[in-house]
Amino acid sequence: ELKVEQNPLFLSMQEGKNYTIYCNYSTTSDRLYWYRQDPGKSLESLFVLLSNGAVKQEGRLMASLDTKARLSTLHITAAVHDLSATYFCAVDASSGTYKYIFGTGTRLKVLA
Amino acid sequence: NAGVMQNPRHLVRRRGQEARLRCSPMKGHSHVYWYRQLPEEGLKFMVYLQKENIIDESGMPKERFSAEFPKEGPSILRIQQVVRGDSAAYFCASSPAGSTGELFFGEGSRLTVL
């Protein structure tokens, strides 16, 4: 059974600092997704990573995928308060059916 | 282009009652997924449907839960004889056929069982 683990679960950081969130998964998959969720809201798609070595950047966020290590990272550069949210990675459990297995989430709080 | 529409947004039921949650996918999307999120947890896959077909229901409890996506109208997640443990946020997502697998989520329906 595919398991997806994120760490850290909670992250409190100062504005302007850099940090990385890690997403490990237990079985082979070449599709990984990052989502953002604000409290009481839906999930907003951030990145779609579809191959080994994929790297995508949007603003202060950059995501990468290493399928051999079964690891994805979400790097935050020079954090700002607006990035405060919960971030989820999700792995496609069986290619083609889009049955996502979500990580536990990382709750990020950026302090002014 | 409207996004994934879910209703009701909030639903309160007493134990033993039925809950019906509706989801209209994005225009042009033929695949619908239901996920459940318990407080402080990630989303758990429940069921994947295409029009008139259940493709994968491996995440659905065997009893009391059912889902459908009829030829006309929204997808419906039905929970019979609700219990307190059913209290959660239920998210619907959709995708077009042959896509990269990116799912587009609705705002969710928050069920509270008293």
Side-chain angles (χ1 to χ4, degrees):
Chain A
E1 180 184 332
L2 174 61
K3 293 189 187 303
V4 181
E5 294 184 348
Q6 286 181 238
N7 71 83
L9 298 183
F10 298 95
L11 177 56
S12 181
M13 55 192 297
Q14 296 287 333
E15 278 193 330
K17 298 293 187 182
N18 304 332
Y19 208 83
T20 300
I21 299 170
Y22 297 89
C23 174
N24 293 86
Y25 53 99
S26 60
T27 62
T28 302
S29 177
D30 56 3
R31 292 170 179 257
L32 190 139
Y33 310 85
W34 283 95
Y35 284 85
R36 168 184 171 144
Q37 186 180 37
D38 291 293
K41 301 292 185 182
S42 185
L43 281 78
E44 174 191 353
S45 178
L46 294 176
F47 298 108
V48 178
L49 303 170
L50 299 178
S51 61
N52 186 40
V55 178
K56 292 196 174 179
Q57 182 162 6
E58 181 71 36
R60 301 174 187 275
L61 301 178
M62 183 173 71
S64 66
L65 177 62
D66 181 345
T67 59
K68 293 179 182 177
R70 299 176 185 169
L71 170 68
S72 179
T73 61
L74 180 67
H75 187 73
I76 302 158
T77 302
V80 293
H81 180 70
D82 286 352
L83 289 179
S84 298
T86 300
Y87 293 86
F88 291 98
C89 63
V91 178
D92 189 347
S94 52
S95 183
T97 67
Y98 314 142
K99 176 181 170 181
Y100 287 11
I101 304 298
F102 276 82
T104 46
T106 296
R107 189 180 299 177
L108 171 65
K109 186 172 184 179
V110 181
L111 305 173
Chain B
N1 186 13
V4 178
M5 305 299 292
Q6 289 187 247
N7 70 83
R9 294 290 312 281
H10 299 274
L11 183 63
V12 179
R13 285 287 179 265
R14 296 190 180 280
R15 282 179 296 171
Q17 292 184 318
E18 178 179 287
R20 284 195 182 213
L21 310 178
R22 286 174 288 278
C23 169
S24 295
M26 286 182 71
K27 188 175 181 180
H29 287 194
S30 56
H31 299 207
V32 165
Y33 311 77
W34 287 93
Y35 285 79
R36 176 164 63 175
Q37 185 179 35
L38 296 172
E40 310 298 325
E41 294 188 10
L43 279 71
K44 298 284 194 285
F45 170 82
M46 297 182 75
V47 62
Y48 162 35
L49 309 108
Q50 295 178 17
K51 283 284 187 184
E52 300 184 280
N53 285 306
I54 297 174
I55 307 302
D56 184 338
E57 57 180 346
S58 58
M60 288 268 278
K62 298 297 181 202
E63 297 178 352
R64 302 188 298 108
F65 285 72
S66 62
E68 62 176 5
F69 188 17
K71 186 176 180 181
E72 301 290 338
S75 175
I76 295 175
L77 179 67
R78 182 183 178 202
I79 311 171
Q80 295 178 290
Q81 299 175 329
V82 296
V83 300
R84 288 216 175 105
D86 297 333
S87 295
Y90 292 84
F91 287 94
C92 172
S94 72
S95 71
S99 78
T100 57
E102 184 179 10
L103 299 187
F104 297 85
F105 283 84
E107 294 274 310
S109 291
R110 283 156 180 83
L111 172 65
T112 300
V113 179
L114 301 178

